[in-house]
Amino acid sequence: MRLVTYTGAFARRIGVVREDRVFAVSTPSMEALLAEGAVGMARAAEAADTGTGEPLADVQLHAPVTNPRKFLAIAANYQSHIDEVMASMPGYVPPEYQRWFVKLPTSINGPYDPILMPPESEQIDWEVELAVVIGRRCRRVPAERAHEVVAGYTICNDVSVRDWQKRSPTIMLGKSFDTHGPLGPWIVTPDELGDPHALRLRCLVNGEVVQNGSTSELINNVWEQIAYLSTVCTLEPGDVLATGTPKGTGGSMKPPRFLKAGDRVRCEIEHIGAIEAEVQRERPA
């Protein structure tokens, strides 16, 4: 199934997409639906089987998860990205262990909403990533059972403000500007997606392919990431985990290349689809 948060003819709702129509599911939020587990998924399927729905072309899609308790991302999880960072930043030391950082939930943006370029920086970069959405409250999940706690997968553009990323020992600030966490266009459930470790992913800027990789390149796979994180904290329905990006980021190019107002950024992942946004200058307060 493909689960969405959308605004159609009525108020904002949660729905399930089937072919070219979206069918409303009675629930207060995506997080609440996911917390129902198998019961919630059965209700979503029933809504598509029995409802009339609306044309998908007539609705506005929002980020499928808009208010997760946790929005976390792993750094340096593709060797190709590590190699390009080492080439552009002499002295960079790759992490010995999984290196996680927080993207504040206020950074979450819709799949087609503008990415705002803050007046404080000209170093706005792109990062296409597979994102995992947690479906069960869990702690200390062994890697061999991690698939049991996944509700589905979506696309993330881990937009990064590179100079702010370097301003402190942690990179949270450079990863958390408002609108710098586009997600979508929907959550694809595991039964429909298949193997999360065999997906092509690409990023295009103004139609030019700048990133082209595969999740088969992940250093720490999805199951290992969930096992590692759940050792530390309880994961909850709706939590979003961005799994890393392959080579091709603008900050590692020679010379560096950053987004500017008017650019269009498209992130694609096989079996999920694409998100696309225009970069716009943010007006100072």
Side-chain angles (χ1 to χ4, degrees):
M1 286 188 293
R2 292 177 290 165
L3 304 172
V4 294
T5 300
Y6 73 102
T7 299
F10 304 99
R12 181 179 293 209
R13 310 184 77 171
I14 305 303
V16 56
V17 173
R18 182 173 291 176
E19 295 179 352
D20 60 352
R21 299 186 73 80
V22 57
F23 301 85
V25 182
S26 178
T27 184
S29 67
M30 183 67 75
E31 293 86 346
L33 179 66
L34 298 180
E36 293 184 42
V39 173
M41 295 304 97
R43 289 203 306 109
E46 182 182 8
D49 289 337
T50 60
T52 56
E54 301 177 65
L56 182 60
D58 292 347
V59 308
Q60 178 186 2
L61 294 180
H62 307 290
V65 179
T66 56
N67 193 32
R69 293 256 183 124
K70 293 180 281 298
F71 185 8
L72 303 170
I74 189 171
N77 200 32
Y78 283 74
Q79 188 61 48
S80 62
H81 182 49
I82 291 175
D83 291 344
E84 69 175 355
V85 172
M86 291 180 69
S88 64
M89 294 175 57
Y92 172 79
V93 179
E96 182 179 356
Y97 303 101
Q98 292 185 33
R99 182 178 294 170
W100 287 88
F101 59 90
V102 171
K103 284 183 76 75
L104 295 177
T106 47
S107 70
I108 290 176
N109 205 32
Y112 311 116
D113 295 340
I115 294 170
L116 297 182
M117 183 177 177
E120 294 82 6
S121 179
E122 299 283 333
Q123 296 186 15
I124 316 303
D125 208 345
W126 57 82
E127 293 189 11
V128 60
E129 307 199 9
L130 174 69
V132 179
V133 182
I134 298 297
R136 288 177 57 184
R137 194 172 191 271
C138 58
R139 178 84 195 280
R140 299 192 185 278
V141 182
E144 61 270 19
R145 295 192 61 188
H147 65 278
E148 298 175 22
V149 306
V150 174
Y153 304 88
T154 192
I155 302 170
C156 174
N157 185 356
D158 178 20
V159 181
S160 305
V161 183
R162 296 302 186 193
D163 50 349
W164 279 71
Q165 186 177 327
K166 299 172 184 176
R167 289 189 179 191
S168 63
T170 66
I171 63 177
M172 181 192 73
L173 292 180
K175 297 285 191 172
S176 294
F177 277 76
D178 284 1
T179 75
H180 287 192
L183 296 174
W186 34 60
I187 297 169
V188 178
T189 53
D191 59 307
E192 183 169 323
L193 180 109
D195 184 0
H197 306 113
L199 304 173
R200 300 298 305 179
L201 69 170
R202 302 198 309 170
C203 180
L204 298 86
V205 177
N206 300 325
E208 176 191 352
V209 176
V210 290
Q211 291 184 279
N212 188 2
S214 169
T215 56
S216 64
E217 304 169 47
L218 289 170
I219 295 173
N220 302 282
N221 69 32
V222 171
W223 319 138
E224 292 165 340
Q225 293 178 51
I226 291 172
Y228 196 83
L229 276 177
S230 67
T231 301
V232 176
C233 62
T234 299
L235 298 177
E236 299 166 290
D239 285 353
V240 178
L241 315 179
T243 62
T245 199
K247 69 177 181 180
T249 55
S252 297
M253 294 180 177
K254 296 182 179 180
R257 173 182 171 185
F258 297 110
L259 295 171
K260 58 186 184 299
D263 284 347
R264 294 198 67 85
V265 186
R266 180 180 176 89
C267 295
E268 305 173 346
I269 299 183
E270 186 180 12
H271 301 318
I272 300 178
I275 62 177
E276 185 169 343
E278 181 181 338
V279 179
Q280 297 180 3
R281 289 196 176 275
E282 181 181 3
R283 294 182 180 180

